[in-house]
Amino acid sequence: MTEVRVAGVGLTEFGEEPSRTGRDLFGAASTEAFADADVPRADIESVRYGNFMGELSERQGHQGPLMAEAAGVRAPSTRYESACASSGAALRSAVKDIRNDEEDVILVGGAERMTNLGTAGATEALAIAADELWEVRSGMTFPGAYALMAKAYFDEYGGDRTDLAHVAVKNHDHAMGNEHAQYQRRIDVSDVLEAPPVSEPLGLYDSCPISDGASALVLVSDEYAEENGVDAPVAITGTGQGGDDMALQDRKYLARTPASNRAAEEAYADAGIGPDDVDFAEVHDCFTIAEVLALESLGFYEVGEGIGAARRGETTAEGDVPVNLSGGLKAKGHPVGATGTSQVAEITELLRGDHVNSDAVADAEVGLAHNAGGTVASCLVHVMEVVA
């Protein structure tokens, strides 16, 4: 099977850029990815682009060809939408086509413009990733949905707000020095516990910010890399996708995320590894409870045991399995369509040794990216390894 290499990565700063358009953001990230890859734009055979709310934030549909143009590429281009997992879905499509010898060089990434909508407008736009008939019409928002999941977890397995506070503190610590991170400032447990409530038991610091930003990857086949002298030591060796019922009330569990289980199992089998082989991970921590649920679904912890991982220091930069060394969605930011491929960009830099936190995983060979949509009704997991 053809091996998929990450030849280059590009990221904009994540944060508040209300005057920058999606095409501006993706163009900037793509330019950086091409420079990193040293691959000519003319060699790109297709563009796969993730975006969720372009029609709402920019009144712009049909974004595939628009973003190819922004990237300076003359190639077929398709937009992928899977809520917060949009660019993760785009990535999986690209990986499968390179493996199947359909193409050798693909530009994949995503972008989101959100802050121009304001907090209320962005919250309303994000809500359409929930079930419109049974959740959105009832006033459900994602802070409320994840609060229900957190309460269900506490009731069934234990834990408390202090455990979640340690997740936030850890990820803010990891974001320090990450030039792409929206929040490069430390917080402590008391900051989290004393912050204004958003939806009990979640407070302001349990929630990721509203963000603008873009990410881009240049993917190549191992044959292309060898023939063209492309230095690409990191490969995507496993890919998996899982799904679940859309509305929370239709699910068997509120305190588990089976879509992540399914995606992880497929990705592990695809890569020929297990959770014990993973050296570090980037997981979808849109809320602090989401990181806990991800740790358990990915097989790093048994159900009910992930809640204390950050408090015990096991997922910090010094821990056994560092999680969200980028700062995660919590501190790095969450421009929805860009998040999936931004995780892969961060892992690539960490494995190559040119990330601000690479020293924490200096001997690492395997990283994992977990990208979820909505209340994890959709999920993409990718395994990445050093291969040369």
Side-chain angles (χ1 to χ4, degrees):
M1 184 186 298
T2 301
E3 199 167 67
V4 182
R5 304 290 187 97
V6 182
V9 305
L11 292 163
T12 67
E13 293 181 6
F14 286 7
E16 296 185 24
E17 299 279 357
S19 63
R20 295 186 71 179
T21 61
R23 70 184 82 186
D24 177 22
L25 292 165
F26 188 65
S30 299
T31 295
E32 187 176 311
F34 282 119
D36 188 41
D38 195 23
V39 169
R41 286 174 167 81
D43 285 1
I44 295 295
E45 295 169 84
S46 71
V47 178
R48 317 292 172 94
Y49 174 75
N51 175 268
F52 174 56
M53 62 174 68
E55 289 86 352
L56 299 177
S57 65
E58 299 193 280
R59 295 183 57 81
Q60 182 65 64
H62 200 197
Q63 292 190 43
L66 183 68
M67 295 307 169
E69 181 182 347
V73 172
R74 297 292 183 184
S77 181
T78 304
R79 172 193 176 186
Y80 290 75
E81 188 279 302
S82 191
C84 311
S86 293
S87 59
L91 175 61
R92 176 171 164 82
S93 170
V95 167
K96 293 175 78 172
D97 275 0
I98 291 176
R99 282 182 170 182
N100 293 330
D101 295 320
E102 298 287 336
E103 298 177 18
D104 285 300
V105 191
I106 298 177
L107 175 66
V108 58
E112 210 73 65
R113 184 184 182 195
M114 301 173 68
T115 64
N116 62 306
L117 295 174
T119 300
T123 300
E124 183 177 356
L126 288 166
I128 68 169
D131 187 314
E132 197 281 332
L133 181 60
W134 299 113
E135 294 181 314
V136 180
R137 291 188 190 185
S138 300
M140 176 72 79
T141 63
F142 281 104
Y146 275 94
L148 289 174
M149 297 165 81
K151 287 181 179 179
Y153 190 102
F154 292 164
D155 290 344
E156 191 161 355
Y157 305 117
D160 56 32
R161 289 193 62 219
T162 301
D163 291 305
L164 296 182
H166 280 275
V167 175
V169 169
K170 168 184 71 72
N171 291 344
H172 273 259
D173 283 347
H174 290 172
M176 295 297 294
N178 183 350
E179 62 182 0
H180 302 113
Q182 185 165 350
Y183 294 142
Q184 297 180 56
R185 63 174 183 265
R186 288 190 170 89
I187 59 174
D188 58 31
V189 170
S190 63
D191 291 327
V192 182
L193 297 179
E194 295 169 9
V198 174
S199 184
E200 291 289 351
L202 304 178
L204 183 64
Y205 283 121
D206 288 293
S207 312
C208 70
I210 295 168
S211 315
D212 305 311
S215 59
L217 312 170
V218 176
L219 303 184
V220 301
S221 65
D222 51 353
E223 181 179 356
Y224 177 94
E226 183 176 353
E227 290 179 354
N228 292 274
V230 176
D231 182 21
V234 178
I236 299 173
T237 59
T239 180
Q241 184 170 4
D244 201 357
D245 292 327
M246 186 82 148
L248 288 179
Q249 74 266 17
D250 292 331
R251 299 186 189 175
K252 184 176 180 180
Y253 307 105
L254 282 184
R256 301 188 196 182
T257 50
S260 296
N261 291 82
R262 297 175 188 124
E265 288 168 3
E266 185 178 5
Y268 289 141
D270 191 28
I273 68 164
D276 291 343
D277 298 308
V278 176
D279 295 309
F280 64 95
E282 288 287 313
V283 309
H284 200 95
D285 62 324
C286 48
F287 297 91
T288 49
I289 186 62
E291 177 167 313
V292 175
L293 298 174
L295 295 178
E296 296 177 0
S297 293
L298 295 169
F300 299 146
Y301 290 89
E302 295 295 325
V303 173
E305 295 182 1
I307 187 67
R311 188 195 284 227
R312 295 188 297 266
E314 295 161 0
T315 52
T316 65
E318 297 79 23
D320 294 335
V321 181
V323 174
N324 287 333
L325 286 169
S326 68
L329 285 61
K330 173 65 199 74
K332 182 187 172 187
H334 182 31
V336 176
T339 290
T341 41
S342 78
Q343 293 174 321
V344 171
E346 297 279 355
I347 291 173
T348 299
E349 292 181 342
L350 284 159
L351 288 172
R352 292 190 316 200
D354 50 15
H355 190 280
V356 67
N357 285 325
S358 284
D359 287 349
V361 287
D363 299 319
E365 296 184 351
V366 181
L368 179 144
H370 163 271
N371 183 205
T375 48
V376 202
S378 55
C379 184
L380 284 298
V381 171
H382 289 93
V383 174
M384 304 178 64
E385 300 185 57
V386 177
V387 293

